[in-house]
Amino acid sequence: MLGHIVGLGKTRFGPTAKGLPTLAQEALMAALDDAALGPEDLGAVVVANFLGGPNEGRLHLASVVAGLMPGLHLPAWRVEAACASGGVAAHQALMALSFYDNVLVLGVERMSDVVGAELTRNIGMAGDVVLDQSQGLNFPASYALVAQRHMERHGTTARDLELVSLKSHENARLNPTAHFHHKKVTQADVDAGPVVAAPLRLFDCCPVSDGAAAVILSRAPRDARSVPVLGSAVATDVISLAQRSDHTSFPAARAAAERAYAQAGVAPGDVSLAEVHDCFTIAELVATEDLGLAEPGGAALLVRAGETAIGGRIPVNTGGGLKAGGHAIGATGVSQLCEAVVQLRGEAGARQVGEARIAVTHNVGGVGGTCAVHVLAAPGTQAAT
Amino acid sequence: MTGVRTCGECGREYRYDVELCTFCGVELGSREPARGSVLAVTRVDVPSIGHEDVPYWCALVQAEDDSMHIVKSDRAIETGERFALSGAPEEDLAVVGVLGTGIMGRGLVELLLARGHEVCWLSRSDEHAERARDRVLERLARTMDEDELAGAAARLAVGADPSFFGRCDLVIEAVVEEVGPKAEALARAEAHMRPDALLATNTSGLSLDELAAGLARRERFGALHFFNPATRMRLVETSRATATSDETAARLEHFARSLGKIPVAVAQRPAFVVNRVLMPLINEAVRALEEGAAPPADIDEAVRLGLNHPMGPLALADLIGLDIAASIMDNLAERTGDESYAPRPLLRRLVDEGKLGRKTGQGFFQHTPRPGGPG
């Protein structure tokens, strides 16, 4: 047992006038409340954030967060691993449990202050400045190339991508903190979406969200709602598609998944639900395969059969994923843990999957340059090893 | 385009400009593959800083040595296509002649050199040639480093002797927008060109059949109408004379695409499409000014904000040159028989007074002369 998630808190994802400190405080207080702990019970804080520097001129976020707990002088630091910042922060927090009893992981991001070409450039900083950015390979374009290769190799179709999108939007309708909770997305909306980077269209892309999410990790379980963390792994890979020979799978994701499963003593077949990094619809298919939940090229078959929907054999992104739940970048990896915990506790209400025993989260930075995978179990689960 | 560095001992590859293998500590060998084939391509429709002009294409290219490259292109490319990683033209039409040292001629030469072409540029005199060369290289120096600039300079021949057109695969005429001088320039160029070479005019809408009348190989002649500034504007109006062959039309269109342009084929109607729409707009703005609707700056402001044009019609007329605008309008009126196309009296008066717009410092607006120019 690596540790236990004893509390979680998450703001609504989506555009908001709330500033970064306000968002961070909202998630922080919710997590403390959920864990029935006070700020003075925390041993350390790991802050996850990607674009505070370029978007807001805001770095040194650990100290900003210290301002939300004046006088405590907690050890705190910021983690940046592009879109995988949250997952990597959780991994660090687990390691930090060798020093501290309770560690807060706080992911926060403001995206809506910067728009258009500037924001697209800033997000593109997750790619290599020479190999990718100089050639105009922004994020939609990167994943568009992945989609092209996946379609060519595995026969994946544009329709499969639409099904992923429609499923995620359905789930978001059941999640009050989802970016698109209030938006009913129909086939007509999907059809009307303009091309962003062929073959990806508007509804293949996640939105740009503000938001924060927090979990408190503890050495010992606190109560019957504490969720054990069985596996935690981070793996990296070369940053650009130009440095890889295979563009239909992310080796970092496969490596992280393999390590996390081994640590947890579980196999992909044991997984009840997965929260995966679907910044674009194609990414959900690649993730499903990289996690071993489908054979290479087999994810589309699961989607076509409805197996990844809530109530399906292996529900994926029950909270709407990044696609419809929102992508407040630094908060995303933490938000995935929140959704997994809510499901494992059986507290997911209308979007509750049947019997949730094992959940896996998968958080990717860039186009597979970093991947963090966590394996969580239902409260009360004893370690397999 | 980045090279690939490989360790001679362990075979590991690096894509940064590092010199040593992290594992073996030995110096890396480096290579720069020249071409490859396109594995996947995406058309990008969202702009980002540094990549504002959309659409463009991003290709994943597998080079001959199997290394992968992401390459941006401003022309449509297809999966499976052979692709030069250097950006040098793969095409025939590698050597291009240009006639005319006005703003369009200079813009064209700059564009062609930037795209890797060899250019033979005809000027009126040797003295003109030196000045024209300096101005173009000065422009290119803003975006090219020393090596690139030296390469561009080596690919540029400028002079008053048209015999170098014998080396050209294509010659583009961009002299003053009048039938007489254009027809004469075209015939003069053709006399020096190889029989298999193509000839194009940059006319903005004169009759191609009239321009072709004095040519011996009319099937190899067509129109490529670039827009100012030629390096930046994406549109090229392509058009064919009655005698233009299908092959010539197709090759000219392909050539425009290879320069990153988006060609639109238009019939040889007076003033093609853009000027057919633009000239009445300018003329109506002049009429509004004559009628006292508003001062020039306000007319321009209204059109800019109301029609979302980047520039008002009167400022644009000043940029084009009032004499050129008036001449296009006269040509339109004459060829269509519709006098409403003819320049408004105020426009004629300004031309008569020598107030031709930016190039003379005074048109509808006063212009402060740029330091060093016009040359």
Side-chain angles (χ1 to χ4, degrees), chain A residues 249-348:
Chain A
S249 165
F250 297 150
R254 289 192 174 270
E258 193 178 319
R259 290 173 207 165
Y261 284 141
Q263 201 170 33
V266 304
D270 302 323
V271 174
S272 318
L273 74 142
E275 286 296 305
V276 309
H277 198 91
D278 60 326
C279 43
F280 299 91
T281 46
I282 182 63
E284 178 164 320
L285 299 182
V286 170
T288 306
E289 292 163 9
D290 285 344
L291 287 173
L293 305 175
E295 292 296 308
L301 302 177
L302 287 181
V303 173
R304 287 174 209 165
E307 299 284 24
T308 59
I310 294 168
R313 187 159 56 78
I314 171 68
V316 175
N317 292 340
T318 53
L322 283 60
K323 171 67 211 78
H327 188 17
I329 298 182
T332 286
V334 187
S335 161
Q336 293 178 324
L337 292 170
C338 291
E339 179 66 17
V341 168
V342 166
Q343 290 285 355
L344 291 165
R345 284 173 173 175
E347 296 176 354

Side-chain angles (χ1 to χ4, degrees), chain B residues 183 208-216 218 221:
Chain B
L208 297 188
D209 285 343
E210 276 185 57
L211 296 179
L215 297 179
R218 293 177 204 171
F221 166 73

Side-chain angles (χ1 to χ4, degrees), chain B residues 45-257:
Chain B
D45 283 278
V46 289
S48 54
I49 287 180
H51 306 282
E52 285 81 2
D53 277 346
V54 291
Y56 61 84
W57 288 260
C58 271
L60 178 64
V61 180
Q62 181 168 28
E64 297 138 326
D65 64 355
D66 283 343
S67 63
M68 299 287 178
H69 304 264
I70 303 287
V71 187
K72 179 184 179 182
S73 169
D74 50 16
R75 66 173 176 88
I77 34 185
E78 282 170 20
T79 304
E81 190 176 310
R82 295 275 297 157
F83 201 88
L85 293 167
S86 65
E90 282 278 80
E91 313 300 330
D92 54 358
L93 308 186
V95 185
V96 182
V98 175
L99 285 134
T101 50
I103 191 161
M104 281 310 303
R106 288 199 305 270
L108 271 173
V109 171
E110 188 186 339
L111 169 69
L112 291 164
L113 290 174
R115 304 294 293 203
H117 288 274
E118 194 180 328
V119 178
C120 301
W121 191 10
L122 189 71
S123 66
R124 261 173 286 171
S125 66
D126 286 339
E127 187 200 322
H128 254 91
E130 272 319 298
R131 216 161 44 194
R133 162 190 282 272
D134 289 349
R135 286 188 67 176
V136 161
L137 293 179
E138 197 180 293
R139 296 271 317 172
L140 286 170
R142 296 183 197 182
T143 51
M144 289 182 163
D145 64 30
E146 306 89 323
D147 293 348
E148 290 167 334
L149 192 62
R155 282 184 276 107
L156 174 61
V158 198
D161 175 3
S163 61
F164 57 13
F165 285 156
R167 299 216 318 268
C168 294
D169 304 305
L170 164 70
V171 174
I172 306 173
E173 167 280 312
V175 303
V176 61
E177 186 68 12
E178 286 168 36
V179 174
K182 274 195 182 307
E184 193 188 315
L186 288 165
R188 184 165 171 234
E190 193 194 44
H192 293 275
M193 287 163 58
R194 293 195 315 266
D196 64 311
L198 300 185
L199 181 58
T201 171
N202 185 53
T203 180
S204 59
L206 297 176
S207 160
L208 297 188
D209 285 343
E210 276 185 57
L211 296 179
L215 297 179
R217 296 183 293 274
R218 293 177 204 171
E219 73 285 356
R220 296 193 166 269
F221 166 73
L224 286 174
H225 179 211
F226 291 83
F227 289 77
N228 181 36
T231 46
R232 296 243 319 277
M233 298 287 278
R234 296 293 292 273
L235 178 66
V236 173
E237 286 180 319
T238 61
S239 188
R240 45 202 293 186
T242 308
T244 306
S245 73
D246 290 347
E247 191 204 337
T248 298
R251 284 177 75 193
L252 290 178
E253 187 195 314
H254 183 78
F255 176 73
R257 264 186 224 290

Side-chain angles (χ1 to χ4, degrees), chain B residues 26-44:
Chain B
V26 301
E27 227 168 276
L28 299 169
S30 105
R31 61 182 196 274
E32 301 236 347
R35 46 179 45 75
S37 64
V38 176
L39 278 188
V41 61
T42 179
R43 175 186 144 136
V44 181

